[in-house]
Amino acid sequence: MRHPLPPNFPAAVTILKLLRVGWLGLVMATAASAASGPAPREGIQKAVFDELNLARTAPGKYVEYLKDQRSRFKGNLFIGTPGVRMMTHEGVAAVDEAIAALAKQAPVAALKFSEGLALAALDHVQDTGPKGIVSHEGTDGEMSGSRARRYGRVEHGSGECISYGFYEARQIVMALIIDDGVAGRGHRRNIYDGDFRLVGMASGPHKTFKTLCVIDFAVGYQDDPVAIRQRPAK
């Protein structure tokens, strides 16, 4: 199974470090819509979907966004839209590395949306958000692949990204691409993984960080209409 983070989940360590210095944000990604299938909902789901697919299909465009992002640093402090102030680990060095990486990045195909994957993501949002949990593991011990199999068939691998604290789609995607403090830039690898073709996402409140967004990717995935239809409302 692909995973946006190494097995020891360094992003959780990053979260704790950011918590010690003040404002926190961690990034997520999501995407998608199949031309012949369901479409993502409006609002943040659709906005992040559009931004993520723009980043995948036109990485050069995101180089320009990242250059603008670089100008918003004072030392290691990132100052974004009103109310967004985040102490980073690497400062502009991580932005510069992302700019260099995207300058060489070939475009990859846009992601398609899966309703089953979106429901798997929603399960994790509703399970962990109200409790303030920061983990890919649910309270039942299940990971993203197991959640995805509740609503369909995973084919050839899957992965997950989780974001805490960011609200705006472009900031979410840029932060994922920069991947400050995350060894191996696993979130960026997910965004530009050409094997991933389907994705679903969901967002909701988080007890500690106010907002949570989960996205589940798959190389191949077959929605189970019966399981989707029978999912109880929560």
Side-chain angles (χ1 to χ4, degrees), residues 11-12 14-15 18 24-28 86 162-166 182 187:
T14 300
I15 289 169
L18 287 172
L24 164 89
L26 179 67
V27 220
M28 84 129 210
M86 185 172 80
I162 305 177
S163 167
Y164 303 88
F166 282 113
V182 178
H187 296 96

Side-chain angles (χ1 to χ4, degrees), residues 23 78-86 166 171:
W23 202 87
F78 171 68
I79 303 173
T81 52
V84 176
R85 298 171 66 89
M86 185 172 80
F166 282 113
Q171 287 295 314

Side-chain angles (χ1 to χ4, degrees), residues 108-229:
V108 293
L111 293 160
K112 298 179 180 180
F113 180 76
S114 161
E115 188 176 357
L117 290 175
L119 288 178
L122 181 60
D123 281 355
H124 200 52
V125 167
Q126 294 180 336
D127 177 32
T128 61
K131 303 175 183 69
I133 294 171
V134 177
S135 177
H136 289 286
E137 184 177 354
T139 57
D140 57 4
E142 292 194 354
M143 302 295 285
S144 62
S146 297
R147 290 189 291 271
R149 286 190 287 274
R150 295 171 184 170
Y151 305 107
R153 186 173 74 250
V154 178
E155 300 173 347
H156 311 301
S158 63
E160 183 172 78
C161 290
I162 305 177
S163 167
Y164 303 88
F166 282 113
Y167 293 89
E168 295 184 357
R170 185 159 295 172
Q171 287 295 314
I172 286 169
V173 174
M174 280 195 291
L176 247 186
I177 290 172
I178 295 168
D179 231 1
D180 175 79
V182 178
R185 311 302 192 204
H187 296 96
R188 187 193 307 162
R189 289 204 310 272
N190 264 7
I191 291 177
Y192 291 104
D193 188 333
D195 288 338
F196 283 142
R197 296 303 177 99
L198 293 121
V199 71
M201 51 91 96
S203 61
H206 190 270
K207 182 178 180 180
T208 305
F209 302 118
K210 296 185 179 180
T211 183
L212 161 72
C213 189
V214 176
I215 40 151
D216 288 327
F217 299 88
V219 177
Y221 189 81
Q222 296 294 323
D223 283 350
D224 181 342
V226 175
I228 290 171
R229 187 168 57 250

Side-chain angles (χ1 to χ4, degrees), residues 26-95:
L26 179 67
V27 220
M28 84 129 210
T30 183
S33 161
S36 60
R41 295 181 180 181
E42 297 301 318
I44 189 64
Q45 186 182 56
K46 174 90 165 49
V48 174
F49 152 63
D50 289 340
E51 287 292 328
L52 188 60
N53 278 334
L54 175 62
R56 282 173 64 96
T57 60
K61 185 71 173 176
Y62 253 75
V63 169
E64 299 306 313
Y65 298 157
L66 289 167
K67 289 179 178 178
D68 177 71
Q69 186 93 333
R70 192 185 192 282
S71 69
R72 299 173 184 270
F73 279 80
K74 289 186 177 180
N76 279 14
L77 178 66
F78 171 68
I79 303 173
T81 52
V84 176
R85 298 171 66 89
M86 185 172 80
M87 186 62 68
T88 66
H89 294 283
E90 302 172 69
V92 296
V95 184

